[in-house]
Structure formats: C-alpha cells, structure tokens
Coordinates of all heavy atoms in Angstrom, one line a residue:
M183 N 8.7 -155.6 31.1 CA 7.8 -156.4 31.8 C 7.5 -155.8 33.2 O 8.4 -155.3 33.9 CB 8.5 -157.8 32.0 CG 7.6 -158.8 32.6 SD 8.5 -160.4 32.6 CE 7.1 -161.5 32.5
N184 N 6.2 -155.8 33.5 CA 5.8 -155.2 34.8 C 5.7 -156.3 35.8 O 5.2 -157.3 35.6 CB 4.4 -154.5 34.6 CG 4.5 -153.3 33.7 OD1 5.4 -152.6 33.7 ND2 3.5 -153.2 32.8
F185 N 6.1 -155.9 37.0 CA 6.0 -156.9 38.1 C 5.2 -156.2 39.3 O 5.4 -155.0 39.5 CB 7.4 -157.2 38.7 CG 8.2 -158.1 37.7 CD1 9.1 -157.5 36.8 CD2 8.0 -159.5 37.7 CE1 9.8 -158.3 36.0 CE2 8.8 -160.2 36.8 CZ 9.6 -159.7 36.0
L186 N 4.4 -157.0 39.9 CA 3.6 -156.6 41.1 C 4.5 -156.7 42.3 O 5.6 -157.4 42.3 CB 2.4 -157.4 41.2 CG 1.4 -157.3 40.0 CD1 0.3 -158.4 40.2 CD2 0.8 -156.0 39.9
D187 N 4.1 -156.0 43.4 CA 5.0 -156.0 44.6 C 5.3 -157.4 45.1 O 6.4 -157.6 45.5 CB 4.3 -155.1 45.7 CG 3.0 -155.6 46.1 OD1 2.3 -156.4 45.3 OD2 2.5 -155.3 47.2
F188 N 4.4 -158.3 45.0 CA 4.7 -159.7 45.6 C 5.5 -160.5 44.6 O 6.0 -161.6 44.9 CB 3.4 -160.4 46.0 CG 2.4 -160.5 44.8 CD1 2.4 -161.6 44.0 CD2 1.4 -159.6 44.7 CE1 1.5 -161.7 43.0 CE2 0.5 -159.7 43.7 CZ 0.5 -160.8 42.8
E189 N 5.8 -160.0 43.4 CA 6.6 -160.7 42.4 C 8.0 -160.2 42.4 O 8.8 -160.7 41.5 CB 6.0 -160.5 41.0 CG 4.6 -161.1 40.8 CD 4.1 -160.7 39.4 OE1 4.0 -159.5 39.0 OE2 3.8 -161.7 38.7
K190 N 8.4 -159.4 43.3 CA 9.8 -158.8 43.4 C 10.9 -159.9 43.4 O 11.9 -159.8 42.7 CB 9.9 -157.9 44.5 CG 9.1 -156.6 44.4 CD 9.6 -155.8 43.1 CE 8.7 -154.6 43.0 NZ 8.9 -153.9 41.7
P191 N 10.7 -161.0 44.2 CA 11.7 -162.0 44.1 C 12.0 -162.6 42.7 O 13.1 -162.9 42.3 CB 11.2 -163.1 45.1 CG 10.2 -162.4 46.0 CD 9.6 -161.3 45.2
V192 N 10.9 -162.8 42.0 CA 11.0 -163.3 40.6 C 11.7 -162.2 39.7 O 12.6 -162.6 38.9 CB 9.6 -163.6 40.0 CG1 9.8 -164.0 38.6 CG2 9.0 -164.7 40.8
E193 N 11.4 -161.0 39.9 CA 12.0 -159.9 39.2 C 13.5 -159.9 39.4 O 14.3 -159.8 38.4 CB 11.4 -158.6 39.5 CG 12.0 -157.4 38.8 CD 11.4 -156.0 39.2 OE1 10.8 -155.9 40.3 OE2 11.5 -155.1 38.4
E194 N 13.9 -160.0 40.6 CA 15.4 -160.0 40.9 C 16.1 -161.2 40.3 O 17.2 -161.0 39.7 CB 15.6 -160.0 42.4 CG 15.1 -158.7 43.1 CD 15.0 -158.8 44.6 OE1 15.4 -159.9 45.2 OE2 14.6 -157.8 45.2
L195 N 15.4 -162.3 40.3 CA 16.1 -163.5 39.7 C 16.1 -163.4 38.2 O 17.1 -163.8 37.6 CB 15.3 -164.8 40.0 CG 15.4 -165.2 41.5 CD1 14.4 -166.4 41.8 CD2 16.8 -165.7 41.8
I196 N 15.1 -162.8 37.6 CA 15.1 -162.6 36.1 C 16.2 -161.6 35.7 O 16.9 -161.8 34.7 CB 13.8 -162.1 35.6 CG1 12.8 -163.3 35.7 CG2 13.8 -161.6 34.2 CD1 11.4 -163.0 35.3
E197 N 16.4 -160.6 36.5 CA 17.5 -159.6 36.3 C 18.9 -160.3 36.4 O 19.7 -160.0 35.5 CB 17.4 -158.4 37.3 CG 16.3 -157.5 37.0 CD 16.1 -156.4 38.1 OE1 16.9 -156.4 39.1 OE2 15.2 -155.6 38.0
Q198 N 19.0 -161.2 37.4 CA 20.3 -161.9 37.5 C 20.5 -162.8 36.3 O 21.6 -162.9 35.7 CB 20.3 -162.8 38.7 CG 20.4 -162.0 40.0 CD 20.2 -163.0 41.2 OE1 20.3 -164.2 41.1 NE2 20.0 -162.4 42.4
L199 N 19.4 -163.4 35.8 CA 19.5 -164.3 34.6 C 19.9 -163.5 33.4 O 20.8 -163.9 32.6 CB 18.2 -165.0 34.4 CG 18.1 -166.0 33.2 CD1 19.0 -167.1 33.4 CD2 16.7 -166.5 33.0
E200 N 19.3 -162.4 33.2 CA 19.7 -161.5 32.0 C 21.1 -161.1 32.1 O 21.8 -161.1 31.1 CB 18.7 -160.3 32.0 CG 17.3 -160.7 31.6 CD 17.2 -161.4 30.3 OE1 17.8 -161.0 29.3 OE2 16.4 -162.4 30.3
T201 N 21.6 -160.7 33.3 CA 23.0 -160.3 33.5 C 23.9 -161.5 33.1 O 24.9 -161.3 32.5 CB 23.2 -159.9 34.9 OG1 22.3 -158.8 35.2 CG2 24.7 -159.4 35.1
L202 N 23.6 -162.7 33.6 CA 24.4 -163.8 33.3 C 24.4 -164.2 31.9 O 25.5 -164.5 31.3 CB 23.8 -165.0 34.1 CG 24.6 -166.3 34.2 CD1 26.0 -166.0 34.8 CD2 23.9 -167.3 35.0
K203 N 23.3 -164.0 31.2 CA 23.3 -164.2 29.7 C 24.1 -163.2 29.0 O 24.8 -163.5 28.0 CB 21.8 -164.2 29.2 CG 21.0 -165.4 29.6 CD 19.6 -165.3 29.0 CE 18.8 -166.6 29.4 NZ 17.4 -166.5 28.8
Q204 N 24.1 -162.0 29.5 CA 25.0 -160.9 28.8 C 26.5 -161.2 29.1 O 27.3 -161.1 28.1 CB 24.6 -159.6 29.4 CG 23.3 -159.0 28.9 CD 22.9 -157.7 29.6 OE1 23.7 -157.2 30.4 NE2 21.8 -157.2 29.3
V205 N 26.8 -161.7 30.2 CA 28.2 -162.1 30.5 C 28.6 -163.2 29.6 O 29.7 -163.2 29.0 CB 28.4 -162.5 32.0 CG1 29.7 -163.2 32.2 CG2 28.2 -161.3 32.9
K206 N 27.7 -164.2 29.4 CA 28.0 -165.3 28.5 C 28.3 -164.8 27.1 O 29.2 -165.3 26.4 CB 26.9 -166.3 28.6 CG 27.1 -167.5 27.6 CD 25.9 -168.4 27.7 CE 26.1 -169.6 26.7 NZ 24.9 -170.5 26.7
E207 N 27.4 -163.9 26.7 CA 27.5 -163.4 25.3 C 28.8 -162.6 25.1 O 29.4 -162.7 24.0 CB 26.3 -162.5 25.0 CG 25.9 -162.4 23.6 CD 24.6 -161.6 23.5 OE1 23.6 -162.3 23.7 OE2 24.7 -160.4 23.2
K208 N 29.2 -161.8 26.1 CA 30.3 -160.9 25.9 C 31.6 -161.6 26.1 O 32.6 -161.4 25.4 CB 30.2 -159.7 26.9 CG 29.2 -158.8 26.5 CD 29.1 -157.6 27.5 CE 28.0 -156.7 27.2 NZ 27.9 -155.6 28.2
S209 N 31.7 -162.6 27.1 CA 33.0 -163.1 27.4 C 33.2 -164.6 26.9 O 34.2 -165.2 27.0 CB 33.2 -163.1 28.9 OG 32.2 -164.0 29.5
K210 N 32.1 -165.1 26.3 CA 32.2 -166.5 25.7 C 32.5 -167.5 26.8 O 33.0 -168.6 26.5 CB 33.2 -166.6 24.6 CG 33.0 -165.6 23.5 CD 31.7 -165.8 22.8 CE 31.6 -164.8 21.6 NZ 30.3 -164.4 21.2
I211 N 32.1 -167.2 28.0 CA 32.3 -168.2 29.1 C 31.0 -169.1 29.2 O 29.9 -168.6 29.0 CB 32.5 -167.5 30.5 CG1 33.8 -166.7 30.4 CG2 32.5 -168.5 31.6 CD1 34.0 -165.8 31.7
D212 N 31.2 -170.4 29.4 CA 30.1 -171.3 29.4 C 29.4 -171.1 30.8 O 29.9 -171.6 31.8 CB 30.6 -172.7 29.3 CG 29.4 -173.7 29.2 OD1 28.3 -173.3 28.9 OD2 29.6 -174.9 29.5
T213 N 28.2 -170.5 30.8 CA 27.4 -170.3 32.0 C 26.1 -171.1 31.9 O 25.2 -170.8 32.7 CB 27.1 -168.8 32.2 OG1 26.4 -168.4 31.0 CG2 28.4 -168.0 32.4
S214 N 26.1 -172.1 31.1 CA 24.8 -172.9 30.9 C 24.3 -173.5 32.2 O 23.1 -173.6 32.4 CB 25.0 -173.9 29.8 OG 26.0 -174.8 30.0
A215 N 25.3 -174.0 33.0 CA 24.8 -174.6 34.2 C 24.2 -173.6 35.2 O 23.2 -173.9 35.8 CB 26.0 -175.3 34.9
S216 N 24.8 -172.4 35.3 CA 24.3 -171.4 36.1 C 22.9 -170.9 35.6 O 22.0 -170.6 36.3 CB 25.3 -170.2 36.2 OG 26.5 -170.7 36.8
V217 N 22.8 -170.8 34.3 CA 21.6 -170.3 33.6 C 20.5 -171.3 33.9 O 19.4 -170.9 34.3 CB 21.8 -170.1 32.1 CG1 20.4 -170.0 31.4 CG2 22.7 -169.0 31.8
K218 N 20.8 -172.6 33.8 CA 19.8 -173.6 34.1 C 19.3 -173.6 35.5 O 18.2 -173.7 35.8 CB 20.3 -175.0 33.7 CG 19.3 -176.1 33.8 CD 19.9 -177.4 33.3 CE 18.9 -178.5 33.5 NZ 17.8 -178.6 32.5
E219 N 20.3 -173.4 36.4 CA 20.0 -173.3 37.8 C 19.1 -172.1 38.2 O 18.1 -172.3 38.9 CB 21.3 -173.2 38.6 CG 21.2 -173.2 40.1 CD 22.5 -173.0 40.8 OE1 23.5 -173.6 40.4 OE2 22.5 -172.3 41.9
L220 N 19.4 -171.0 37.6 CA 18.6 -169.8 37.8 C 17.2 -170.0 37.2 O 16.2 -169.6 37.8 CB 19.2 -168.6 37.2 CG 20.0 -167.7 38.1 CD1 20.7 -166.6 37.4 CD2 19.2 -167.2 39.3
E221 N 17.1 -170.6 36.1 CA 15.7 -170.8 35.5 C 14.9 -171.7 36.4 O 13.7 -171.5 36.5 CB 15.9 -171.4 34.1 CG 16.4 -170.4 33.1 CD 16.7 -171.0 31.7 OE1 16.9 -172.3 31.6 OE2 16.8 -170.3 30.7
E222 N 15.5 -172.8 37.0 CA 14.8 -173.6 37.9 C 14.4 -172.9 39.1 O 13.3 -173.1 39.7 CB 15.7 -174.9 38.2 CG 15.9 -175.8 37.1 CD 14.6 -176.5 36.6 OE1 13.8 -176.8 37.5 OE2 14.5 -176.6 35.4
K223 N 15.3 -172.0 39.6 CA 15.0 -171.2 40.8 C 13.8 -170.3 40.5 O 12.9 -170.1 41.4 CB 16.2 -170.5 41.2 CG 16.1 -169.9 42.6 CD 17.5 -169.3 43.1 CE 17.3 -168.9 44.5 NZ 18.6 -168.4 45.0
I224 N 13.8 -169.7 39.3 CA 12.7 -168.8 39.0 C 11.4 -169.6 38.9 O 10.3 -169.1 39.5 CB 12.9 -168.1 37.6 CG1 14.1 -167.1 37.7 CG2 11.7 -167.5 37.0 CD1 14.6 -166.6 36.4
K225 N 11.4 -170.8 38.4 CA 10.2 -171.6 38.3 C 9.7 -172.0 39.7 O 8.5 -171.9 40.0 CB 10.6 -172.9 37.5 CG 9.4 -173.7 37.1 CD 10.0 -174.9 36.2 CE 8.9 -175.6 35.5 NZ 9.4 -176.7 34.7
A226 N 10.6 -172.4 40.6 CA 10.3 -172.7 41.9 C 9.7 -171.5 42.7 O 8.7 -171.7 43.5 CB 11.5 -173.3 42.7
T227 N 10.3 -170.4 42.5 CA 9.8 -169.2 43.2 C 8.4 -168.8 42.7 O 7.6 -168.4 43.5 CB 10.8 -168.0 43.0 OG1 12.1 -168.4 43.4 CG2 10.4 -166.8 43.7
R228 N 8.2 -168.9 41.4 CA 6.9 -168.6 40.9 C 5.8 -169.5 41.5 O 4.7 -169.1 41.8 CB 6.9 -168.7 39.4 CG 7.5 -167.4 38.7 CD 7.3 -167.5 37.2 NE 7.7 -166.2 36.6 CZ 8.1 -166.1 35.4 NH1 8.3 -167.1 34.6 NH2 8.4 -164.9 35.0
K229 N 6.2 -170.8 41.6 CA 5.3 -171.8 42.1 C 5.0 -171.5 43.6 O 3.8 -171.5 44.0 CB 5.9 -173.2 42.0 CG 4.9 -174.3 42.4 CD 5.5 -175.6 42.2 CE 4.5 -176.7 42.7 NZ 5.0 -178.0 42.5
K230 N 6.0 -171.1 44.3 CA 5.8 -170.8 45.8 C 4.9 -169.6 45.9 O 4.0 -169.6 46.8 CB 7.2 -170.6 46.4 CG 7.1 -170.3 47.9 CD 8.5 -170.1 48.5 CE 8.4 -169.7 49.9 NZ 9.7 -169.4 50.5
I231 N 5.1 -168.6 45.1 CA 4.3 -167.4 45.2 C 2.9 -167.7 44.8 O 1.9 -167.3 45.5 CB 4.9 -166.3 44.2 CG1 6.2 -165.7 44.8 CG2 3.9 -165.1 44.1 CD1 6.9 -164.8 43.9
A232 N 2.7 -168.5 43.8 CA 1.3 -168.8 43.3 C 0.5 -169.6 44.4 O -0.7 -169.5 44.5 CB 1.4 -169.6 42.0
E233 N 1.2 -170.4 45.1 CA 0.6 -171.3 46.1 C 0.1 -170.4 47.3 O -0.7 -170.9 48.1 CB 1.5 -172.4 46.6 CG 1.8 -173.4 45.6 CD 2.9 -174.4 46.0 OE1 3.6 -174.1 47.0 OE2 3.0 -175.4 45.3
N234 N 0.7 -169.3 47.5 CA 0.5 -168.5 48.7 C -0.2 -167.1 48.4 O -0.1 -166.2 49.2 CB 1.8 -168.3 49.5 CG 2.3 -169.6 50.0 OD1 1.7 -170.4 50.6 ND2 3.6 -169.8 49.7
L235 N -0.9 -167.0 47.3 CA -1.5 -165.8 47.0 C -2.8 -165.5 47.8 O -3.5 -166.4 48.1 CB -2.0 -165.8 45.5 CG -0.9 -165.7 44.5 CD1 -1.5 -165.8 43.1 CD2 0.0 -164.4 44.6
T236 N -2.9 -164.2 48.2 CA -4.1 -163.8 48.9 C -5.2 -163.5 47.9 O -4.9 -163.4 46.7 CB -3.8 -162.5 49.7 OG1 -3.6 -161.4 48.8 CG2 -2.7 -162.7 50.7
P237 N -6.4 -163.4 48.3 CA -7.5 -163.1 47.3 C -7.2 -161.8 46.6 O -7.4 -161.7 45.3 CB -8.7 -163.0 48.2 CG -8.5 -163.9 49.3 CD -7.0 -163.8 49.6
W238 N -6.7 -160.8 47.2 CA -6.4 -159.5 46.6 C -5.3 -159.7 45.6 O -5.3 -159.1 44.5 CB -6.1 -158.4 47.6 CG -5.7 -157.2 46.9 CD1 -4.5 -156.5 47.0 CD2 -6.5 -156.4 46.0 NE1 -4.5 -155.4 46.2 CE2 -5.7 -155.3 45.6 CE3 -7.8 -156.5 45.5 CZ2 -6.2 -154.3 44.7 CZ3 -8.2 -155.6 44.6 CH2 -7.5 -154.5 44.2
Q239 N -4.3 -160.5 45.9 CA -3.2 -160.7 44.9 C -3.7 -161.4 43.7 O -3.2 -161.2 42.6 CB -2.1 -161.5 45.6 CG -1.3 -160.6 46.6 CD -0.3 -161.4 47.4 OE1 -0.5 -162.6 47.7 NE2 0.7 -160.8 47.9
R240 N -4.7 -162.3 43.9 CA -5.3 -163.0 42.7 C -6.0 -162.0 41.8 O -5.9 -162.1 40.6 CB -6.2 -164.1 43.2 CG -5.5 -165.3 43.8 CD -6.5 -166.3 44.3 NE -5.9 -167.3 45.1 CZ -5.4 -168.4 44.6 NH1 -5.4 -168.7 43.4 NH2 -4.8 -169.3 45.5
V241 N -6.7 -161.1 42.4 CA -7.3 -160.0 41.6 C -6.3 -159.2 40.9 O -6.5 -158.9 39.7 CB -8.2 -159.1 42.5 CG1 -8.7 -157.9 41.8 CG2 -9.4 -159.9 43.1
Q242 N -5.2 -158.8 41.6 CA -4.2 -158.1 40.9 C -3.6 -158.8 39.7 O -3.3 -158.2 38.7 CB -3.0 -157.8 41.9 CG -3.4 -156.7 42.9 CD -2.3 -156.5 43.9 OE1 -1.9 -157.4 44.6 NE2 -1.8 -155.3 44.0
L243 N -3.4 -160.1 39.9 CA -2.9 -160.9 38.7 C -3.9 -160.9 37.6 O -3.5 -160.9 36.4 CB -2.6 -162.3 39.2 CG -1.2 -162.6 39.8 CD1 -1.1 -164.0 40.2 CD2 -0.1 -162.2 38.8
S244 N -5.1 -161.1 37.9 CA -6.1 -161.1 36.8 C -6.2 -159.8 36.1 O -6.7 -159.8 34.9 CB -7.5 -161.5 37.4 OG -8.0 -160.4 38.2
R245 N -5.8 -158.7 36.7 CA -5.9 -157.4 36.1 C -4.5 -156.9 35.7 O -4.3 -155.7 35.4 CB -6.5 -156.4 37.0 CG -7.9 -156.7 37.3 CD -8.5 -155.7 38.3 NE -9.9 -156.0 38.6 CZ -10.6 -155.4 39.6 NH1 -10.0 -154.5 40.3 NH2 -11.8 -155.8 39.8
H246 N -3.5 -157.8 35.6 CA -2.1 -157.4 35.3 C -2.0 -156.7 34.0 O -2.6 -157.2 33.0 CB -1.3 -158.7 35.3 CG 0.2 -158.4 35.5 ND1 1.0 -157.9 34.5 CD2 1.0 -158.6 36.6 CE1 2.2 -157.8 34.9 NE2 2.2 -158.2 36.2
P247 N -1.3 -155.6 33.9 CA -1.2 -154.9 32.7 C -0.5 -155.7 31.5 O -0.7 -155.3 30.4 CB -0.3 -153.7 33.0 CG 0.3 -153.9 34.3 CD -0.5 -155.0 35.0
D248 N 0.3 -156.7 31.8 CA 0.9 -157.5 30.8 C 0.1 -158.6 30.2 O 0.5 -159.3 29.3 CB 2.3 -158.0 31.2 CG 3.3 -156.9 31.4 OD1 3.1 -155.8 30.8 OD2 4.3 -157.1 32.1
R249 N -1.1 -158.8 30.8 CA -2.0 -159.9 30.4 C -2.5 -159.6 29.0 O -2.8 -158.4 28.7 CB -3.1 -160.1 31.3 CG -2.7 -160.8 32.6 CD -3.8 -161.3 33.4 NE -4.7 -162.1 32.6 CZ -5.2 -163.3 33.0 NH1 -5.0 -163.6 34.3 NH2 -6.0 -164.0 32.3
P250 N -2.7 -160.6 28.2 CA -3.3 -160.3 26.8 C -4.7 -159.8 26.9 O -5.5 -160.3 27.8 CB -3.1 -161.6 26.1 CG -2.8 -162.6 27.1 CD -2.4 -161.9 28.3
Y251 N -5.1 -159.0 26.0 CA -6.5 -158.5 25.8 C -7.2 -159.3 24.7 O -6.5 -160.0 23.9 CB -6.5 -157.0 25.5 CG -6.0 -156.2 26.7 CD1 -4.7 -155.8 26.7 CD2 -6.9 -155.8 27.7 CE1 -4.2 -155.0 27.8 CE2 -6.4 -155.0 28.7 CZ -5.1 -154.6 28.8 OH -4.7 -153.9 29.8
T252 N -8.5 -159.2 24.6 CA -9.2 -159.9 23.6 C -8.7 -159.7 22.2 O -8.5 -160.6 21.4 CB -10.7 -159.5 23.6 OG1 -11.2 -159.7 24.9 CG2 -11.5 -160.3 22.6
L253 N -8.3 -158.4 21.8 CA -7.8 -158.1 20.5 C -6.5 -158.9 20.3 O -6.2 -159.3 19.2 CB -7.5 -156.6 20.4 CG -8.6 -155.9 19.6 CD1 -8.3 -154.4 19.5 CD2 -8.9 -156.5 18.2
D254 N -5.7 -159.0 21.3 CA -4.4 -159.8 21.2 C -4.7 -161.2 20.7 O -4.0 -161.8 19.9 CB -3.7 -159.8 22.5 CG -3.2 -158.4 22.9 OD1 -2.9 -157.6 22.1 OD2 -3.2 -158.2 24.2
Y255 N -5.7 -161.8 21.3 CA -6.1 -163.2 21.0 C -6.6 -163.3 19.5 O -6.3 -164.2 18.8 CB -7.1 -163.8 21.9 CG -6.6 -164.1 23.3 CD1 -7.0 -163.4 24.4 CD2 -5.7 -165.1 23.5 CE1 -6.5 -163.7 25.6 CE2 -5.2 -165.4 24.7 CZ -5.6 -164.7 25.8 OH -5.1 -165.0 27.0
I256 N -7.4 -162.3 19.2 CA -8.0 -162.3 17.8 C -6.9 -162.1 16.8 O -6.8 -162.8 15.8 CB -9.0 -161.1 17.7 CG1 -10.2 -161.5 18.5 CG2 -9.4 -160.9 16.2 CD1 -11.2 -160.3 18.7
Q257 N -5.9 -161.2 17.1 CA -4.8 -161.0 16.1 C -4.0 -162.3 16.0 O -3.5 -162.6 14.9 CB -3.9 -159.8 16.6 CG -4.6 -158.5 16.4 CD -3.8 -157.4 17.0 OE1 -2.8 -157.6 17.6 NE2 -4.2 -156.1 16.7
F258 N -3.7 -162.9 17.1 CA -3.0 -164.2 17.1 C -3.7 -165.3 16.3 O -3.0 -165.9 15.5 CB -2.7 -164.7 18.5 CG -2.0 -166.0 18.6 CD1 -0.6 -166.1 18.3 CD2 -2.7 -167.2 18.9 CE1 0.0 -167.3 18.3 CE2 -2.0 -168.4 18.9 CZ -0.7 -168.4 18.6
L259 N -5.0 -165.4 16.5 CA -5.7 -166.4 15.8 C -5.8 -166.2 14.3 O -5.8 -167.1 13.5 CB -7.1 -166.6 16.4 CG -7.1 -167.2 17.8 CD1 -8.5 -167.1 18.4 CD2 -6.6 -168.6 17.8
T260 N -6.0 -164.9 13.9 CA -6.2 -164.6 12.5 C -4.9 -164.2 11.8 O -4.8 -164.2 10.6 CB -7.2 -163.4 12.4 OG1 -6.6 -162.3 13.0 CG2 -8.5 -163.8 12.9
G261 N -3.8 -164.0 12.6 CA -2.5 -163.6 12.0 C -2.6 -162.2 11.4 O -1.7 -161.9 10.6
G262 N -3.6 -161.5 11.8 CA -3.7 -160.1 11.2 C -3.4 -159.0 12.2 O -3.4 -159.2 13.4
D263 N -3.2 -157.9 11.6 CA -3.0 -156.7 12.4 C -4.1 -155.7 12.1 O -4.3 -155.3 10.9 CB -1.7 -156.1 12.1 CG -1.3 -155.0 13.1 OD1 -1.9 -154.9 14.2 OD2 -0.4 -154.2 12.9
F264 N -5.0 -155.4 13.0 CA -6.1 -154.5 12.7 C -5.9 -153.1 12.8 O -6.7 -152.3 12.4 CB -7.3 -154.9 13.7 CG -7.7 -156.3 13.6 CD1 -7.5 -157.2 14.6 CD2 -8.3 -156.8 12.4 CE1 -7.9 -158.6 14.5 CE2 -8.7 -158.1 12.3 CZ -8.4 -159.0 13.3
F265 N -4.7 -152.7 13.2 CA -4.5 -151.2 13.4 C -3.3 -150.8 12.6 O -2.4 -151.3 12.4 CB -4.3 -150.8 14.8 CG -5.5 -151.1 15.7 CD1 -5.5 -152.2 16.5 CD2 -6.6 -150.3 15.6 CE1 -6.6 -152.5 17.3 CE2 -7.7 -150.6 16.4 CZ -7.7 -151.7 17.2

C-alpha cells in the first residue's frame, strides 16, 4: 500500500496494527481490545486528515496510485479478467 506524505500517521498506526496481529497469531495472546482500539484510532486519524486537506492534497488523493482505474471497475462488474 502506498501512502502520501500527509498520510504518514495512518501508515504508522497500520504498521502497529499489523505487528499486533502478528503477535496475537504467534503467541495466542488475546489482543482483541488493543486491535479494536488501534482500528478506532486509525479511523479517527483518517477523519482528522480528511477534514484538514489542502487543495493540493486533494489533488494528490484523486491521483493516488492505489485508486482503482476504469478497467478495475469493469472487471469487478463483469467478474472477468481481460488480460
């Protein structure tokens, strides 16, 4: 997943979440409360970032490399693979 410079706080939280999930998987420790807390924090951080975007940051989001392209939508709707 690609992150833009203003999305770095979200990237760091997602990395923490993935690490926590790996710990849960390896050690069988119940981390569901911590996972839920991190997910809520990610959601709140994304909302805060979205509320304070500059016009240029909005353009960057609209051109984000991870955004779906027209062919992605067509493939999803038809269930087919054209290539």
Side-chain angles (χ1 to χ4, degrees):
M183 188 174 207
N184 295 321
F185 291 93
L186 300 170
D187 58 339
F188 58 88
E189 296 177 304
K190 291 299 178 190
V192 174
E193 179 181 20
E194 293 168 3
L195 289 172
I196 289 175
E197 288 173 0
Q198 290 176 13
L199 181 63
E200 292 301 319
T201 303
L202 192 59
K203 286 181 179 179
Q204 289 174 0
V205 166
K206 178 182 178 180
E207 203 172 282
K208 290 180 182 177
S209 64
K210 305 296 184 208
I211 296 174
D212 184 24
T213 58
S214 57
S216 299
V217 167
K218 185 172 177 80
E219 181 182 325
L220 264 176
E221 288 172 342
E222 291 296 322
K223 194 170 184 178
I224 290 169
K225 193 177 193 180
T227 304
R228 282 185 170 154
K229 183 177 180 180
K230 183 179 175 185
I231 289 172
E233 290 172 349
N234 298 308
L235 289 176
T236 65
W238 176 241
Q239 289 171 332
R240 290 178 191 269
V241 170
Q242 287 178 301
L243 275 179
S244 70
R245 297 178 180 172
H246 199 285
D248 289 341
R249 285 190 59 133
Y251 293 93
T252 305
L253 261 181
D254 297 325
Y255 288 112
I256 293 171
Q257 288 175 353
F258 176 75
L259 292 172
T260 62
D263 190 15
F264 299 113
F265 299 103

